[in-house]
Amino acid sequence: MKIAITEIVTMLLIAVIPACLLCTLVVVCIRALWKYIHSTSQNKTENTIPKSLAQAIKENRQRCNLTQEQVADQLGVSRQAVSKWENGTAEPSTANLLTLAELFGLSVDELLNGMKNQ
């Protein structure tokens, strides 16, 4: 029984092309899953405020030589609330933001931008 070269090539193509497509699909899926896993682990700051505001609150509190307790007393909130603002796990209300800016001798815009215009 003699098989023609064209038949061999046809049979190989029928077997190889689907296998290549399947391998490509598996590789693409693995890459997409890898990218998804790493992007969600880096974005676990969901429900947190931008670091710049948290850092600005902490830096300005320290610049004014105030403790978290003193800031909390001035605003009528708990020390834990001030700590959460500085850690970026909570954000101050608008009223508290206005009072913080006043306490630090800044405008709200300066506090939100994290710097004092000089």
Side-chain angles (χ1 to χ4, degrees):
M1 178 180 202
K2 195 173 185 182
I3 300 177
I5 292 182
T6 56
E7 290 177 3
I8 293 174
V9 170
T10 304
M11 288 190 312
L12 283 175
L13 288 176
I14 290 173
V16 171
I17 290 177
C20 289
L21 290 175
L22 182 62
C23 289
T24 303
L25 181 63
V26 169
V27 168
V28 167
C29 288
I30 290 172
R31 284 183 177 176
L33 183 59
W34 182 266
K35 185 175 181 179
Y36 173 77
I37 290 170
H38 284 81
S39 69
T40 55
S41 66
Q42 292 173 354
N43 294 329
K44 289 189 178 182
T45 57
E46 187 178 315
N47 298 329
T48 63
I49 60 173
K51 293 283 184 189
S52 60
L53 177 59
Q55 288 173 346
I57 292 171
K58 184 174 184 175
E59 288 170 5
N60 282 292
R61 176 184 60 78
Q62 291 172 340
R63 179 183 55 81
C64 294
N65 294 318
L66 297 170
T67 64
Q68 288 181 346
E69 188 71 38
Q70 291 169 326
V71 172
D73 288 342
Q74 290 284 330
L75 275 69
V77 298
S78 68
R79 185 202 55 77
Q80 289 83 358
V82 176
S83 176
K84 287 179 181 180
W85 299 342
E86 290 183 0
N87 290 329
T89 56
E91 59 183 277
S93 67
T94 305
N96 286 334
L97 193 59
L98 289 167
T99 308
L100 277 171
E102 184 179 319
L103 180 65
F104 298 148
L106 303 170
S107 70
V108 175
D109 187 47
E110 290 169 332
L111 184 59
L112 289 174
N113 289 329
M115 64 182 121
K116 183 175 180 176
N117 293 333
Q118 298 184 5

mmCIF file of all heavy atoms in Angstrom, residues 1 3 11 25-26 40 44 51 53-54 64-66 68 72-73 85 88 93 96-97 106 116-117:
data_model
loop_
_atom_site.group_PDB
_atom_site.id
_atom_site.type_symbol
_atom_site.label_atom_id
_atom_site.label_comp_id
_atom_site.label_asym_id
_atom_site.label_seq_id
_atom_site.Cartn_x
_atom_site.Cartn_y
_atom_site.Cartn_z
ATOM 1 N N MET A 1 0.848 -1.167 0.000
ATOM 2 C CA MET A 1 0.000 0.000 0.000
ATOM 3 C C MET A 1 0.895 1.233 0.000
ATOM 4 O O MET A 1 1.700 1.415 0.901
ATOM 5 C CB MET A 1 -0.898 -0.058 1.217
ATOM 6 C CG MET A 1 -1.782 1.106 1.346
ATOM 7 S SD MET A 1 -2.729 0.786 2.836
ATOM 8 C CE MET A 1 -4.077 1.738 2.623
ATOM 9 N N ILE A 3 1.251 5.313 -0.009
ATOM 10 C CA ILE A 3 0.536 6.544 0.311
ATOM 11 C C ILE A 3 1.273 7.693 -0.371
ATOM 12 O O ILE A 3 2.495 7.809 -0.281
ATOM 13 C CB ILE A 3 0.487 6.775 1.830
ATOM 14 C CG1 ILE A 3 -0.236 5.613 2.512
ATOM 15 C CG2 ILE A 3 -0.202 8.078 2.163
ATOM 16 C CD1 ILE A 3 -0.261 5.719 4.018
ATOM 17 N N MET A 11 -2.783 14.708 6.049
ATOM 18 C CA MET A 11 -3.065 14.090 7.352
ATOM 19 C C MET A 11 -2.315 14.813 8.471
ATOM 20 O O MET A 11 -2.848 15.024 9.559
ATOM 21 C CB MET A 11 -2.703 12.595 7.322
ATOM 22 C CG MET A 11 -3.663 11.785 6.489
ATOM 23 S SD MET A 11 -3.484 9.994 6.616
ATOM 24 C CE MET A 11 -1.758 9.727 6.432
ATOM 25 N N LEU A 25 -4.209 28.634 22.382
ATOM 26 C CA LEU A 25 -5.320 29.024 23.238
ATOM 27 C C LEU A 25 -4.974 28.824 24.708
ATOM 28 O O LEU A 25 -5.249 29.689 25.541
ATOM 29 C CB LEU A 25 -6.576 28.223 22.872
ATOM 30 C CG LEU A 25 -7.824 28.535 23.668
ATOM 31 C CD1 LEU A 25 -8.254 29.983 23.449
ATOM 32 C CD2 LEU A 25 -8.949 27.593 23.283
ATOM 33 N N VAL A 26 -4.341 27.726 25.045
ATOM 34 C CA VAL A 26 -3.941 27.458 26.430
ATOM 35 C C VAL A 26 -2.931 28.503 26.903
ATOM 36 O O VAL A 26 -3.048 29.045 28.005
ATOM 37 C CB VAL A 26 -3.371 26.025 26.572
ATOM 38 C CG1 VAL A 26 -2.709 25.831 27.918
ATOM 39 C CG2 VAL A 26 -4.477 25.002 26.367
ATOM 40 N N THR A 40 -4.848 42.175 40.345
ATOM 41 C CA THR A 40 -5.742 42.299 41.490
ATOM 42 C C THR A 40 -4.963 42.293 42.788
ATOM 43 O O THR A 40 -5.358 42.941 43.741
ATOM 44 C CB THR A 40 -6.793 41.171 41.521
ATOM 45 O OG1 THR A 40 -6.134 39.905 41.495
ATOM 46 C CG2 THR A 40 -7.753 41.287 40.365
ATOM 47 N N LYS A 44 -5.179 45.986 45.765
ATOM 48 C CA LYS A 44 -5.962 45.675 46.938
ATOM 49 C C LYS A 44 -6.287 46.905 47.749
ATOM 50 O O LYS A 44 -6.808 46.802 48.842
ATOM 51 C CB LYS A 44 -5.247 44.642 47.804
ATOM 52 C CG LYS A 44 -5.248 43.280 47.161
ATOM 53 C CD LYS A 44 -4.756 42.218 48.069
ATOM 54 C CE LYS A 44 -4.842 40.884 47.348
ATOM 55 N NZ LYS A 44 -4.430 39.786 48.143
ATOM 56 N N LYS A 51 -3.058 57.721 48.546
ATOM 57 C CA LYS A 51 -1.977 57.826 49.522
ATOM 58 C C LYS A 51 -1.583 59.277 49.766
ATOM 59 O O LYS A 51 -1.205 59.638 50.861
ATOM 60 C CB LYS A 51 -0.758 57.029 49.072
ATOM 61 C CG LYS A 51 -0.971 55.542 49.059
ATOM 62 C CD LYS A 51 -0.913 54.987 50.443
ATOM 63 C CE LYS A 51 -1.024 53.479 50.356
ATOM 64 N NZ LYS A 51 -1.187 52.850 51.616
ATOM 65 N N LEU A 53 -3.310 62.019 50.106
ATOM 66 C CA LEU A 53 -4.077 62.681 51.157
ATOM 67 C C LEU A 53 -3.718 62.112 52.521
ATOM 68 O O LEU A 53 -3.531 62.861 53.477
ATOM 69 C CB LEU A 53 -5.587 62.557 50.908
ATOM 70 C CG LEU A 53 -6.480 63.158 51.996
ATOM 71 C CD1 LEU A 53 -6.188 64.651 52.175
ATOM 72 C CD2 LEU A 53 -7.944 62.944 51.662
ATOM 73 N N ALA A 54 -3.599 60.802 52.610
ATOM 74 C CA ALA A 54 -3.225 60.174 53.878
ATOM 75 C C ALA A 54 -1.853 60.670 54.326
ATOM 76 O O ALA A 54 -1.658 61.019 55.500
ATOM 77 C CB ALA A 54 -3.220 58.648 53.729
ATOM 78 N N CYS A 64 2.945 70.246 62.525
ATOM 79 C CA CYS A 64 2.344 71.103 63.553
ATOM 80 C C CYS A 64 2.613 70.586 64.967
ATOM 81 O O CYS A 64 2.071 71.124 65.936
ATOM 82 C CB CYS A 64 0.846 71.215 63.320
ATOM 83 S SG CYS A 64 0.427 72.088 61.799
ATOM 84 N N ASN A 65 3.430 69.544 65.076
ATOM 85 C CA ASN A 65 3.766 68.936 66.372
ATOM 86 C C ASN A 65 2.523 68.542 67.158
ATOM 87 O O ASN A 65 2.411 68.824 68.353
ATOM 88 C CB ASN A 65 4.658 69.869 67.209
ATOM 89 C CG ASN A 65 6.008 70.064 66.581
ATOM 90 O OD1 ASN A 65 6.613 69.115 66.085
ATOM 91 N ND2 ASN A 65 6.488 71.295 66.571
ATOM 92 N N LEU A 66 1.586 67.891 66.468
ATOM 93 C CA LEU A 66 0.364 67.419 67.100
ATOM 94 C C LEU A 66 0.352 65.899 67.128
ATOM 95 O O LEU A 66 0.866 65.251 66.216
ATOM 96 C CB LEU A 66 -0.864 67.919 66.338
ATOM 97 C CG LEU A 66 -1.079 69.430 66.292
ATOM 98 C CD1 LEU A 66 -2.176 69.778 65.303
ATOM 99 C CD2 LEU A 66 -1.409 69.961 67.672
ATOM 100 N N GLN A 68 -1.981 62.313 67.276
ATOM 101 C CA GLN A 68 -3.273 61.902 66.729
ATOM 102 C C GLN A 68 -4.378 62.220 67.737
ATOM 103 O O GLN A 68 -5.479 62.613 67.358
ATOM 104 C CB GLN A 68 -3.265 60.404 66.400
ATOM 105 C CG GLN A 68 -2.440 60.055 65.197
ATOM 106 C CD GLN A 68 -2.475 58.572 64.871
ATOM 107 O OE1 GLN A 68 -2.903 57.748 65.696
ATOM 108 N NE2 GLN A 68 -2.012 58.220 63.686
ATOM 109 N N ALA A 72 -7.615 64.501 67.089
ATOM 110 C CA ALA A 72 -8.933 63.916 67.333
ATOM 111 C C ALA A 72 -9.759 64.794 68.265
ATOM 112 O O ALA A 72 -10.957 65.022 68.026
ATOM 113 C CB ALA A 72 -8.786 62.512 67.905
ATOM 114 N N ASP A 73 -9.148 65.303 69.322
ATOM 115 C CA ASP A 73 -9.859 66.180 70.267
ATOM 116 C C ASP A 73 -10.336 67.455 69.576
ATOM 117 O O ASP A 73 -11.455 67.916 69.825
ATOM 118 C CB ASP A 73 -8.958 66.533 71.454
ATOM 119 C CG ASP A 73 -8.732 65.357 72.392
ATOM 120 O OD1 ASP A 73 -9.515 64.378 72.331
ATOM 121 O OD2 ASP A 73 -7.756 65.415 73.180
ATOM 122 N N TRP A 85 -7.398 57.703 58.820
ATOM 123 C CA TRP A 85 -7.175 58.702 57.768
ATOM 124 C C TRP A 85 -5.722 58.688 57.335
ATOM 125 O O TRP A 85 -5.414 58.791 56.155
ATOM 126 C CB TRP A 85 -7.527 60.101 58.260
ATOM 127 C CG TRP A 85 -8.960 60.294 58.666
ATOM 128 C CD1 TRP A 85 -10.038 59.511 58.334
ATOM 129 C CD2 TRP A 85 -9.473 61.339 59.489
ATOM 130 N NE1 TRP A 85 -11.164 60.005 58.903
ATOM 131 C CE2 TRP A 85 -10.856 61.131 59.619
ATOM 132 C CE3 TRP A 85 -8.896 62.423 60.128
ATOM 133 C CZ2 TRP A 85 -11.677 61.977 60.357
ATOM 134 C CZ3 TRP A 85 -9.711 63.268 60.850
ATOM 135 C CH2 TRP A 85 -11.090 63.051 60.969
ATOM 136 N N GLY A 88 -4.877 55.628 55.291
ATOM 137 C CA GLY A 88 -5.559 55.544 54.003
ATOM 138 C C GLY A 88 -6.666 54.525 53.969
ATOM 139 O O GLY A 88 -7.150 54.180 52.903
ATOM 140 N N SER A 93 -14.707 63.193 56.625
ATOM 141 C CA SER A 93 -15.876 63.827 56.015
ATOM 142 C C SER A 93 -15.478 65.214 55.524
ATOM 143 O O SER A 93 -14.405 65.729 55.846
ATOM 144 C CB SER A 93 -17.000 63.940 57.044
ATOM 145 O OG SER A 93 -16.619 64.860 58.065
ATOM 146 N N ASN A 96 -14.858 67.479 58.440
ATOM 147 C CA ASN A 96 -13.573 67.181 59.085
ATOM 148 C C ASN A 96 -12.403 67.610 58.207
ATOM 149 O O ASN A 96 -11.371 68.049 58.717
ATOM 150 C CB ASN A 96 -13.467 65.703 59.433
ATOM 151 C CG ASN A 96 -14.338 65.328 60.616
ATOM 152 O OD1 ASN A 96 -14.646 66.168 61.458
ATOM 153 N ND2 ASN A 96 -14.748 64.072 60.670
ATOM 154 N N LEU A 97 -12.551 67.502 56.914
ATOM 155 C CA LEU A 97 -11.496 67.936 55.995
ATOM 156 C C LEU A 97 -11.287 69.448 56.096
ATOM 157 O O LEU A 97 -10.148 69.918 56.143
ATOM 158 C CB LEU A 97 -11.858 67.528 54.565
ATOM 159 C CG LEU A 97 -10.781 67.604 53.510
ATOM 160 C CD1 LEU A 97 -9.603 66.718 53.873
ATOM 161 C CD2 LEU A 97 -11.343 67.179 52.166
ATOM 162 N N LEU A 106 -3.824 75.489 56.392
ATOM 163 C CA LEU A 106 -3.812 75.276 54.945
ATOM 164 C C LEU A 106 -5.194 75.507 54.375
ATOM 165 O O LEU A 106 -6.187 75.491 55.103
ATOM 166 C CB LEU A 106 -3.399 73.831 54.617
ATOM 167 C CG LEU A 106 -2.081 73.303 55.132
ATOM 168 C CD1 LEU A 106 -1.995 71.800 54.914
ATOM 169 C CD2 LEU A 106 -0.941 73.993 54.435
ATOM 170 N N LYS A 116 1.884 72.763 50.639
ATOM 171 C CA LYS A 116 1.538 74.128 51.007
ATOM 172 C C LYS A 116 2.212 75.081 50.035
ATOM 173 O O LYS A 116 3.394 74.998 49.804
ATOM 174 C CB LYS A 116 1.974 74.422 52.432
ATOM 175 C CG LYS A 116 1.570 75.803 52.892
ATOM 176 C CD LYS A 116 1.908 76.030 54.345
ATOM 177 C CE LYS A 116 1.480 77.419 54.762
ATOM 178 N NZ LYS A 116 1.693 77.666 56.165
ATOM 179 N N ASN A 117 1.403 75.956 49.441
ATOM 180 C CA ASN A 117 1.980 76.963 48.545
ATOM 181 C C ASN A 117 2.728 77.993 49.351
ATOM 182 O O ASN A 117 2.250 78.458 50.368
ATOM 183 C CB ASN A 117 0.867 77.653 47.729
ATOM 184 C CG ASN A 117 0.197 76.708 46.763
ATOM 185 O OD1 ASN A 117 0.816 75.735 46.323
ATOM 186 N ND2 ASN A 117 -1.033 76.974 46.423
#
